[in-house]
Amino acid sequence: MNYQFKIEKPNQQYIQITAETVALTDNPVIQLPSWRPGRYELGNFAKNVKGFKVFNGNGKPVEFLKISKDAWQLTLAKGETIKIQYAYYAHLLNAGSTFFDATQLYVNPVNCCVYQVGEEQAPCTAELAIPEHWQIAGSMQQEGRKLQAANFDELADSPFICSDNLQHDTYEVGATTFHVWFNGITKPDWERVLRDFKAFSAKQIEKFSEFPVDEYHFLIHILPTKAYHGVEHCKSTVICLGPSYDVFGSLYKELLGVSSHELYHTWNVKSIRPIEMFPYDFTKENYSRLGYLCEGVTTYMGDLFLLKSKVFSVEQYLVELAARFQIHFDNHGRFNYSVAASSYDTWLDGYEPGAPNRKVSIYTEGSLLAFVADITLLKNTNNKYGLDEVMRRLFFNYALQGKGVSEQDYKNELEAVGNCSFDDYFQKFVWGNEPYEAILTDALEYIGLELVQKPAAAYSQARLGVKCIVDGDKTVAKNFYPGAPADMGGMMVDDQILAVNGVVINGNFDQWLNYFDEDEKRITVIRAGKLVELVLPEVSRNFYLEHQLKCVENPNNFQKKGFAVWSE
Ligand SMILES: [Zn+2]
């Protein structure tokens, strides 16, 4: 398929797309992907397609019938030229979207490029009618304003940014060139970026023995608004981070965290792929229970490589790891639904808070279980092998052999490397929902770390068991600790808290709770437009806790050795 992208009227944000090919069969089917790899839920990109028209080689209109929400069957004979025209609404700017305004054309082809069913393996080209002075950032081969991909999969996996705001530099690790592109309002601290990126890239490559692709691009949108996420691709990643003024200040550790995470995906998920997604089926849900491998191991390793490469100090790393512990202990969904089941359900509610205490996060639970697996392997191999070795084997024995990975394959490799059983690990903690505080603290102890728990600093969390969001002077209840006073007293999700003991709180809920510490708590809330008064029972215990990780003082030599191997 040959695509043309034309941009006019940036205020309207419609990209004019033409796609041309030859019919492979009579009445061929044209499909637009309904989801994008990296986000395992339906994206329904066809909702942005306007004015879908088809012409034959003589420029005559071709009739078509829509046969699903994102597929069109054309009334056309085999061998005839197909020329498809449509406008794509590019209004949303995030790491997986397509966006167009006066400053840039940013395309994730998986959102907006249709393909002919059966033609997925044929080469694709994309011609860009963009202003002369705009640069193009991305991993596809370029010839002037023409981009080339070996097949539809490569096209779909190769986002690009065209803009005159791009800033670019490179670094090398071995034979691989890494390109770092910043787009938007930003003043990159190049020296620090290139030094730190090179350090974690080199360490990841060292552990895997080789890098799967010949070059790599970090495509980083710096936004004036708050943003922090990324999407992985085989030869690139798109990252959104903001606001601009904090990126090389307080957000710099987030830039490192997300960049190391996305680079690790080059092996884990872009190469080592769940068998259910091998190959990707763009037309429907690709259910997999392996989110704890794809996202869990990547979340754990992405951060750990910042420690291993000495980009993060031990103290900095432990803050990141403790944040995972915090989310784990705060979410009572861990008693209800396993990480494997939650992975299957990303297609249902994986990227939203969802029903309270229903499910867990594949990122959080997956990363903590990866930590436990890593330490279990070190323990059982006299500190010779950790999870790195399992991932290296999955890369060489599966990815490079052109095979997908099943849950059993992952379990087999863990058991082969550790020379021990992972039956309990899977039955109880991956597939089941048994509490695993004990195996977490055991793993910490092995490397000389300890978990320190103390009551949450906020009175509302510690003593009432309610977590609120404060937005301006609005305080809104969002999460409850089951059985705590807020729950017992009948507080509901989205109650807006107005007053404590008749005093209007004006955004200072905890200050007033502290003030009335000894008294009964009468809380006035606005609930669906009505005033409601709640009386909360007094209970002398703490509910939500704060979790910190610390090095045990004077760890014995055995622990020190485990720590050294784990962190190097
Ligand atoms: Zn990820």
Side-chain angles (χ1 to χ4, degrees):
M1 190 79 90
N2 301 313
Y3 306 87
Q4 284 187 325
F5 288 76
K6 272 192 200 153
I7 48 174
E8 301 156 355
K9 299 181 185 160
N11 65 308
Q12 296 183 0
Q13 298 192 290
Y14 272 104
I15 304 169
Q16 306 298 326
I17 300 176
T18 308
E20 207 171 324
T21 190
V22 173
L24 287 177
T25 59
D26 289 342
N27 305 324
V29 173
I30 300 298
Q31 177 84 41
L32 185 70
S34 64
W35 67 285
R36 59 171 180 80
R39 184 106 173 170
Y40 306 104
E41 66 176 359
L42 293 181
N44 293 326
F45 308 124
K47 66 189 170 193
N48 297 316
V49 171
K50 183 185 143 196
F52 187 92
K53 293 189 189 83
V54 187
F55 301 92
N56 66 14
N58 303 322
K60 289 226 168 88
V62 171
E63 284 187 23
F64 58 84
L65 186 67
K66 205 155 180 205
I67 55 170
S68 81
K69 61 184 167 28
D70 33 37
W72 297 260
Q73 184 150 36
L74 314 185
T75 309
L76 201 76
K78 182 179 173 179
E80 282 199 69
T81 296
I82 305 173
K83 198 170 171 186
I84 303 159
Q85 283 180 1
Y86 53 96
Y88 190 86
Y89 187 48
H91 176 65
L92 194 64
L93 177 51
N94 65 40
S97 68
T98 291
F99 181 80
F100 160 50
D101 71 0
T103 66
Q104 64 179 309
L105 169 67
Y106 157 51
V107 176
N108 266 286
V110 72
N111 301 157
C112 60
C113 289
V114 293
Y115 61 91
Q116 180 181 193
V117 173
E119 202 190 7
E120 293 88 339
Q121 294 314 316
C124 303
T125 60
E127 282 177 64
L128 311 175
I130 52 172
E132 281 282 301
H133 55 285
W134 284 14
Q135 273 186 286
I136 306 171
S139 65
M140 270 191 282
Q141 235 185 16
Q142 281 177 38
E143 228 184 87
R145 296 307 205 209
K146 198 170 183 179
L147 308 177
Q148 293 179 333
N151 49 43
F152 185 77
D153 261 342
E154 186 188 334
L155 177 83
D157 195 38
S158 305
F160 56 90
I161 303 171
C162 312
S163 164
D164 66 349
N165 277 320
L166 287 162
Q167 300 181 62
H168 174 234
D169 211 330
T170 62
Y171 63 93
E172 317 265 330
V173 179
T176 310
T177 303
F178 291 80
H179 298 259
V180 184
W181 300 87
F182 286 101
N183 183 40
I185 303 170
T186 184
K187 297 174 186 164
D189 182 345
W190 281 113
E191 201 184 315
R192 199 152 55 127
V193 166
L194 297 178
R195 180 195 65 209
D196 292 341
F197 276 47
K198 185 171 179 165
F200 70 69
S201 307
K203 200 68 182 178
Q204 292 191 15
I205 294 171
E206 177 196 317
K207 293 291 180 183
F208 273 105
S209 312
E210 63 179 65
F211 194 57
V213 292
D214 54 357
E215 62 169 41
Y216 191 85
H217 296 255
F218 290 93
L219 307 171
I220 306 170
H221 288 288
I222 302 296
L223 306 181
T225 50
K226 216 174 153 199
Y228 169 43
H229 66 283
V231 177
E232 68 273 18
H233 301 282
C234 194
K235 296 175 81 170
S236 65
T237 175
V238 179
I239 289 167
C240 288
L241 199 64
S244 306
Y245 51 78
D246 273 339
V247 168
F248 295 96
S250 63
L251 286 179
Y252 185 63
K253 61 182 189 340
E254 271 76 6
L255 174 63
L256 293 171
V258 68
S259 300
S260 176
H261 176 110
E262 302 305 343
L263 183 65
Y264 196 84
H265 271 312
T266 311
W267 292 274
N268 190 24
V269 103
K270 298 317 299 188
S271 304
I272 303 165
R273 182 96 57 84
I275 201 158
E276 301 86 357
M277 296 185 194
F278 201 89
Y280 293 129
D281 181 346
F282 290 118
T283 67
K284 59 174 197 278
E285 294 89 341
N286 289 202
Y287 294 107
S288 168
R289 289 158 58 89
L290 272 166
Y292 56 86
L293 171 62
C294 307
E295 289 303 343
V297 171
T298 302
T299 298
Y300 171 63
M301 287 296 189
D303 285 344
L304 187 59
F305 270 101
L306 295 173
L307 176 67
K308 284 177 187 276
S309 59
K310 303 198 166 38
V311 172
F312 273 8
S313 66
V314 174
E315 291 71 27
Q316 281 177 306
Y317 173 73
L318 291 183
V319 170
E320 302 303 316
L321 186 59
R324 312 282 173 208
F325 276 71
Q326 186 71 48
I327 300 170
H328 167 79
F329 284 111
D330 283 354
N331 179 11
H332 288 78
R334 71 185 192 276
F335 301 117
N336 182 61
Y337 219 40
S338 73
V339 66
S342 300
S343 168
Y344 194 91
D345 278 8
T346 57
W347 296 92
L348 183 65
D349 64 351
Y351 301 91
E352 54 182 55
N357 304 326
R358 192 188 93 79
K359 57 155 197 240
V360 296
S361 154
I362 55 173
Y363 296 85
T364 303
E365 303 310 313
S367 66
L368 293 179
L369 288 169
F371 168 63
V372 169
D374 196 13
I375 301 299
T376 304
L377 296 171
L378 288 172
K379 252 188 210 177
N380 281 283
T381 61
N382 198 21
N383 298 322
K384 194 168 175 209
Y385 295 125
L387 195 55
D388 283 334
E389 177 60 17
V390 172
M391 298 309 291
R392 211 179 66 84
R393 289 189 188 196
L394 290 178
F395 179 60
F396 282 95
N397 299 343
Y398 294 85
L400 292 186
Q401 309 301 320
K403 289 195 283 186
V405 174
S406 68
E407 289 194 280
Q408 192 59 48
D409 294 332
Y410 179 45
K411 181 168 180 283
N412 289 348
E413 291 296 336
L414 283 166
E415 292 180 337
V417 170
N419 195 23
C420 60
S421 167
F422 271 76
D423 281 348
D424 266 9
Y425 174 91
F426 277 87
Q427 291 295 346
K428 291 181 180 171
F429 311 120
V430 175
W431 299 328
N433 45 29
E434 288 198 25
Y436 58 90
E437 187 171 346
I439 57 168
L440 283 173
T441 47
D442 279 357
L444 289 171
E445 193 190 336
Y446 183 73
I447 49 174
L449 300 177
E450 66 177 339
L451 178 65
V452 181
Q453 296 170 316
K454 59 177 186 184
Y459 190 109
S460 53
Q461 294 184 24
R463 298 295 306 282
L464 302 184
V466 56
K467 287 194 172 215
C468 299
I469 288 181
V470 180
D471 181 9
D473 58 1
K474 273 189 184 172
T475 302
V476 179
K478 284 292 174 190
N479 295 93
F480 299 100
Y481 195 105
D487 181 23
M488 303 287 282
M491 203 178 274
M492 290 171 69
V493 172
D494 290 339
D495 277 354
Q496 184 193 331
I497 294 155
L498 208 59
V500 177
N501 294 351
V503 180
V504 175
I505 61 164
N506 284 325
N508 300 308
F509 189 29
D510 287 303
Q511 288 86 334
W512 283 110
L513 289 170
N514 272 315
Y515 182 79
F516 291 117
D517 184 24
E518 302 295 312
D519 308 342
E520 182 183 70
K521 309 285 185 304
R522 282 179 296 112
I523 311 281
T524 313
V525 302
I526 302 176
R527 178 181 296 166
K530 291 181 194 156
L531 283 179
V532 178
E533 188 148 300
L534 307 167
V535 179
L536 306 194
E538 190 59 41
V539 180
S540 59
R541 59 161 281 210
N542 291 301
F543 298 93
Y544 284 115
L545 300 174
E546 265 171 32
H547 300 83
Q548 282 181 321
L549 295 174
K550 289 202 167 133
C551 293
V552 178
E553 281 177 38
N554 302 320
N556 62 41
N557 286 335
F558 176 65
Q559 285 172 324
K560 273 186 186 166
K561 194 180 172 206
F563 182 87
V565 178
W566 169 70
S567 63
E568 273 173 9

